[in-house]
Amino acid sequence: MLINGIAASVAGVVSNQLVAKVHTFTSPFILSGVLLVASWFMIGKLWTENYGAQDASTGVGKWDILQLGRLRQAVDIVRRDPALLVLGLRQTCFEGSMYIFVFLWVPSMQEASLPGAQLPLGYIFSAFMVSMMIGSVVYTSVVSHSLPRSDAPLVLHAKLASLNCLVASLALACSFSTSLPQSRFWSFCLFEACVGVYYPVQGMLKGSMISNDHRATLAALFRVPLNIFVTGIMLTGISENRQVVFSACSLVLAFSSLMTTFVIVPRTVAMSESPALPRPA
């Protein structure tokens, strides 16, 4: 996360300088295309294909190209365990809000700025990436200083997950409740800091609550409602209804925080008190 954040921050600065030099907003996209082509050549040269494991006991073999057998197993697992359902709901709410934020932060900042003002979008993006790195550092600091004298690691991460969704919800609520560009900018920075906390926390929860055999399949299953959520919001015309969209994202994040508190936290407490308790999947 730290290396990705540094690379993204540098990319934002380079993009802003490139736009200032050539006076066109398409130049960063052209440069990114060149980098993507270079990455394609490097991946093709250095990486080997991972075909996955074949599970003879479940009848899922190499000819199941669409992995429908594993998806059916994943649906059965989630249907039997409400904690996994809430874990997927949390992913849908948070990542969906994050993807929608990607589409809306530029017009939102332009709306709050002075008429005719040209915002340094590359520098603003770099500030968001720095905020995400700060969130990751805060997560590491909280975990390292709290574990020796507080909850079990899994319980602590469940509580952090709930608090993180709540703070992200408040950040988005503050962003659309003010018309000051400075206040909106710092609200967005706070939301990006929550993104930096989200990924390690969610990774810990999924790694502890989902068995290795079904982790990849459940991750793919969780992305189905995520894609539906983002696509549905975008079809409503997000650019013209920014305040409504941000309000909806804030509400679903608050709902995710409540569900995490009342479902996932008790489950992690039970798992921590009974180490022999099997994983739900």
Side-chain angles (χ1 to χ4, degrees):
M1 180 66 74
L2 186 61
I3 296 176
N4 290 340
I6 293 174
S9 301
V10 173
V13 174
V14 171
S15 298
N16 205 95
Q17 293 290 338
L18 190 61
V19 169
K21 186 174 183 179
V22 302
H23 304 291
T24 173
F25 288 107
T26 60
S27 53
F29 295 97
I30 297 173
L31 179 59
S32 66
V34 174
L35 295 176
L36 286 172
V37 171
S39 301
W40 178 68
F41 278 108
M42 292 179 62
I43 291 172
K45 189 72 174 178
L46 302 176
W47 288 15
T48 58
E49 184 59 81
N50 179 8
Y51 293 98
Q54 299 178 22
D55 192 350
S57 62
T58 59
V60 179
K62 63 180 180 180
W63 302 115
D64 188 11
I65 300 176
L66 299 178
Q67 295 295 300
L68 296 179
R70 290 188 180 276
L71 285 176
R72 283 193 293 268
Q73 295 171 12
V75 171
D76 291 337
I77 292 170
V78 171
R79 188 170 58 242
R80 293 194 303 264
D81 193 335
L84 292 183
L85 184 62
V86 173
L87 191 64
L89 173 68
R90 167 177 153 76
Q91 177 176 326
T92 297
C93 294
F94 197 99
E95 295 188 17
S97 300
M98 180 183 66
Y99 295 145
I100 291 170
F101 168 80
V102 170
F103 288 99
L104 289 184
W105 75 264
V106 172
S108 296
M109 291 298 301
Q110 290 174 335
E111 178 188 43
S113 62
L114 295 175
Q118 185 171 353
L119 296 174
L121 299 178
Y123 294 150
I124 295 174
F125 174 80
S126 295
F128 290 164
M129 296 302 100
V130 171
S131 300
M132 187 175 66
M133 288 191 295
I134 292 174
S136 181
V137 171
V138 168
Y139 158 79
T140 303
S141 177
V142 169
V143 171
S144 60
H145 287 84
S146 299
L147 286 182
R149 53 183 180 274
S150 66
D151 298 312
L154 189 56
V155 178
L156 175 63
H157 280 77
K159 292 181 178 180
L160 281 176
S162 177
L163 179 62
N164 191 45
C165 282
L166 180 60
V167 174
S169 173
L170 294 175
L172 290 184
C174 291
S175 70
F176 66 76
S177 63
T178 179
S179 59
L180 297 176
Q182 295 87 352
S183 301
R184 190 165 293 187
F185 168 76
W186 289 114
S187 297
F188 289 162
C189 286
L190 178 59
F191 178 79
E192 285 289 344
C194 293
V195 174
V197 177
Y198 166 79
Y199 280 106
V201 170
Q202 185 75 353
M204 172 66 174
L205 292 176
K206 290 197 293 187
S208 301
M209 298 179 65
I210 304 175
S211 66
N212 294 333
D213 294 337
H214 300 288
R215 190 171 303 159
T217 307
L218 282 175
L221 181 65
F222 290 163
R223 300 197 73 84
V224 174
L226 170 63
N227 293 332
I228 294 174
F229 173 72
V230 175
T231 304
I233 292 293
M234 291 183 63
L235 289 176
T236 62
I238 58 176
S239 182
E240 295 80 12
N241 303 290
R242 287 187 291 272
Q243 184 170 350
V244 175
V245 172
F246 274 139
S247 300
C249 291
S250 179
L251 288 175
V252 297
L253 284 169
F255 177 71
S256 175
S257 176
L258 289 174
M259 294 299 294
T260 302
T261 300
F262 291 111
V263 178
I264 294 182
V265 172
R267 169 57 64 86
T268 56
V269 171
M271 294 176 65
S272 300
E273 292 176 350
S274 304
L277 188 67
R279 290 178 178 179

